Amino acid sequence: MSELSPRRRVLVLAICCMSLLIVSLDNTVLNVALPSMQREFHASTSGLQWSIDAYTLVLASLLMLAGSTADRIGRKRVFMTGLVVFTLGSLLCSLAPSLEALVVFRMVQAVGGSMLNPVAMSIITNTFTDPRERARAIGAWGAVVGLSMAAGPLVGGLLVQSVGWRSIFWINLPVGLAALLLTLRFVPESRAPRARRPDPVGQLLVIALFGSLTYAIIEAPHATLPAIAPFAVLALASLVALLFYEPRRRDPLIDLRFFRSAPFSGATVIAVSAFAALGGFLFLTTLYLQNVRGLSALEAGLWMLPMAVPTFLCAPLSGRLVGSRGPRLPLLIAGGAMTVSGLLFALFEAETSDATLFIGYVLFGIGFGFVNAPITNTAVSGMPTAQAGVASAVASTSRQLGQALGVAVVGAVLAAGVGSSPYADAFVPAARPGWWILAGCGLAVLVVGAATSGRWARGTARRTAERLAPPEVRRTVGTGA
C-alpha cells in the first residue's frame, strides 16, 4: 500500500469504523430486543442464547479464514464482499418468520461480519505504520465500540418499543450501503507480499471445536449426560487435532508460533476473558431489567447508559495511554474495574438497588472501555505487516469466542438456577454464580495483563517477530510498548 496523505488515512479509518459500528451495534441492539423476541417466538433461555451465539460462533469460526484470504486476494475486495453479505443478512433477519429462521439468518450475517472487522483492522494496520499513530487509530476504533454500546441500547429500545424488534436490523442497511460506496471510492487495495495457501482441514477443525463446545455448554441444563458427552468429546478431539496438525503446515490457519510471544498470548486470553464478561453482563442485565423489573425496552436501554458512556469516553483515553506508556496501565485499570463490578453483583446483589446497580454499570463500563485498545494493539504490534490480517483475526476470533462462551456459560448457569421456579423470584439468586464467573473474568484480565506486559514479555515479542518475518521482509512495527 502506497503512502497516503493524513486526510486520506483518516478517511480510511472512518470507513473501517463504519463496518465496526454496524457489527457492534447488532450485539447491544439485539440484547435489548431479547424479551420482545422471547414473547413473540415463545422462546426458552437456550433459544435466546442461540440467537446471539449462532452469530458469534460463525463469526469466530471464519475470522481467521477471512483474515488470511484478505491478505492473499486483496483486503479491499474481501471487505466489500463482507459489507454486501452482512447487509443482505440484516435484511433477512428483519423478515425472519420464526426463531429458527432468525438463527439461520444471523449465521448469514456472521459470514459477512467475518470479512469486516479483522480485514478492517488489517487495513488500518497497513495504513497507519507509525506505532503511535496506530495506537491512536486503534483508540478511535475502540471508541466506536463504546459508541455502539451507548447508541445501541437507546436506538434499539426506541425501535423495539415504537416499531418492533425487527426494525433493529434495518439500521444496518443504509450504513452498510454507504460504507460499500465509500470503500469502492477511497480505500486502496492491499495484499500480503506472499500469498498464504488455504487450510480447509484447519478451518473444519476450528468450526467443530467452537460449535461442539458451545452446544455442549448451552444445552447442558436441558439435556442428559449421554446426549451432551459426544459434543464434549468432539470439542476435545478437535482441539488435540488442531495442536497436532497446524504446526506441520507451511501456511497454517492458526500459526501457533504467534503464541511464543507472551504479549500476543496474553492478549488472546484477555480478549476471551473480557468479552466473555461483556456477553454475560449484557445477557443477565437485559433479562433482569425487562423480565424482572418490568421495564420497557427503552427504559432498559436508558439504564445501560451508565455502562455505555464510560466505555465510549475511556476507549480513546486507553488508546492514547497505550501509545505513550504501553498496554500495562490500561489493562490493570480494566481488570480491576471489571473485577470489582462483578463482585458488587455477586456479593451485594447490586441489581436489587438503584444506587449499586448504577455503580456496577459504571465500573464495568470503565473496565471494558480500557481493555479493547491494548488487546488490539498488542495482538498486531510486533508482527510482520505481511501477517497483520492473520494476527488481527486471531484477536477478533478471541473476542467473539469469548462473547459466545460468556453467553453460553452464564445463560446455562441461569437456566439451571431458575429451573421451574417463578422467573422473577428466582432470577437474582440464580444469577449469582454467573456474577462470580464474570468477576473471575475480570481478575483474569488483571493478572494476565500484569504478567504479559513487562520487559520479559516484550523480549518474547521481539524474538517471535524475528522468527515470523520472511527473509525478504525483516521490517517489523515495534512491540506496542
Side-chain angles (χ1 to χ4, degrees):
M1 181 184 291
S2 59
E3 186 69 22
L4 302 179
S5 67
R7 181 177 295 180
R8 183 78 173 269
R9 289 200 298 270
V10 171
L11 183 58
V12 170
L13 174 62
I15 294 167
C16 291
C17 285
M18 289 175 71
S19 73
L20 176 65
L21 179 64
I22 55 177
V23 173
S24 300
L25 265 177
D26 260 32
N27 288 328
T28 51
V29 168
L30 186 66
N31 272 276
V32 173
L34 286 178
S36 297
M37 291 162 47
Q38 187 177 34
R39 288 189 293 272
E40 179 171 335
F41 293 137
H42 307 289
S44 63
T45 299
S46 64
L48 297 179
Q49 289 171 272
W50 278 119
S51 70
I52 297 173
D53 276 359
Y55 177 84
T56 51
L57 276 177
V58 172
L59 204 60
S61 299
L62 298 181
L63 282 170
M64 286 177 285
L65 174 63
S68 59
T69 301
D71 284 346
R72 183 172 64 253
I73 70 172
R75 296 172 181 123
K76 177 179 179 177
R77 180 182 301 178
V78 172
F79 186 68
M80 291 179 64
T81 303
L83 285 169
V84 171
V85 176
F86 185 86
T87 305
L88 176 62
S90 299
L91 177 61
L92 292 173
C93 286
S94 71
L95 303 173
S98 66
L99 183 64
E100 292 77 14
L102 177 64
V103 169
V104 172
F105 296 151
R106 288 279 287 165
M107 294 169 74
V108 174
Q109 256 194 318
V111 173
S114 69
M115 305 179 204
L116 296 181
N117 287 5
V119 180
M121 179 50 61
S122 184
I123 292 171
I124 291 172
T125 302
N126 283 269
T127 300
F128 295 87
T129 54
D130 177 75
R132 292 200 173 191
E133 268 197 10
R134 183 188 300 115
R136 287 193 291 269
I138 291 172
W141 174 267
V144 173
V145 177
L147 178 62
S148 71
M149 291 184 67
L154 280 178
V155 173
L158 184 61
L159 288 174
V160 169
Q161 192 164 317
S162 59
V163 184
W165 67 264
R166 295 175 186 276
S167 62
I168 65 175
F169 295 105
W170 297 345
I171 56 178
N172 296 333
L173 306 184
V175 178
L177 181 60
L180 179 66
L181 295 176
L182 289 170
T183 301
L184 183 65
R185 173 68 178 85
F186 293 108
V187 175
E189 184 61 280
S190 64
R191 296 177 178 84
R194 183 181 71 84
R196 294 169 56 83
R197 292 180 295 182
D199 181 10
V201 174
Q203 183 61 60
L204 289 174
L205 288 172
V206 166
I207 293 172
L209 170 60
F210 291 173
S212 56
L213 176 62
T214 306
Y215 182 89
I217 294 171
I218 289 179
E219 299 300 329
H222 319 287
T224 61
L225 181 60
I228 295 299
F231 294 94
V233 171
L234 177 59
L236 180 60
S238 300
L239 176 61
V240 172
L242 269 174
L243 295 177
F244 176 80
Y245 175 78
E246 289 297 288
R248 288 161 175 76
R249 281 188 56 85
R250 180 186 175 190
D251 291 323
L253 181 71
I254 308 172
D255 194 333
L256 299 181
R257 293 178 299 170
F258 284 1
F259 294 95
R260 295 176 183 174
S261 164
F264 183 88
S265 298
T268 303
V269 174
I270 291 165
V272 171
S273 301
F275 278 76
L278 175 66
F281 189 96
L282 291 175
F283 192 79
L284 285 179
T285 53
T286 300
L287 292 179
Y288 172 78
L289 290 172
Q290 295 189 55
N291 288 352
V292 179
R293 285 204 171 190
L295 301 182
S296 68
L298 180 57
E299 290 169 331
L302 288 169
W303 254 112
M304 290 186 185
L305 280 178
M307 174 190 66
V309 171
T311 299
F312 176 67
L313 296 176
C314 292
L317 174 59
S318 177
R320 287 194 291 271
L321 283 174
V322 170
S324 61
R325 300 185 57 179
R328 170 167 283 199
L329 181 58
L331 288 175
L332 295 181
I333 295 172
M338 294 171 78
T339 302
V340 174
S341 175
L343 291 175
L344 197 61
F345 286 92
L347 291 174
F348 303 105
E349 296 184 350
E351 63 266 51
T352 59
S353 162
D354 286 353
T356 52
L357 182 63
F358 180 86
I359 294 170
Y361 276 13
V362 169
L363 286 171
F364 190 89
I366 291 171
F368 192 74
F370 271 98
V371 81
N372 217 24
I375 290 173
T376 306
N377 192 71
T378 304
V380 300
S381 295
M383 297 297 171
T385 54
Q387 301 197 49
V390 180
S392 61
V394 173
S396 296
T397 298
S398 302
R399 290 184 177 91
Q400 298 302 328
L401 178 61
Q403 189 160 352
L405 291 177
V407 173
V409 173
V410 170
V413 167
L414 178 66
V418 171
S420 58
S421 305
Y423 193 85
D425 297 335
F427 186 94
V428 172
R432 189 174 297 124
W435 289 114
W436 278 110
I437 293 170
L438 301 189
C441 290
L443 185 61
V445 172
L446 179 66
V447 173
V448 175
T452 59
S453 56
R455 182 177 300 176
W456 163 79
R458 292 194 294 271
T460 66
R462 283 192 295 271
R463 291 190 292 273
T464 300
E466 291 168 3
R467 294 190 191 102
L468 288 171
E472 70 275 13
V473 185
R474 290 294 180 184
R475 182 172 60 87
T476 60
V477 291
T479 61

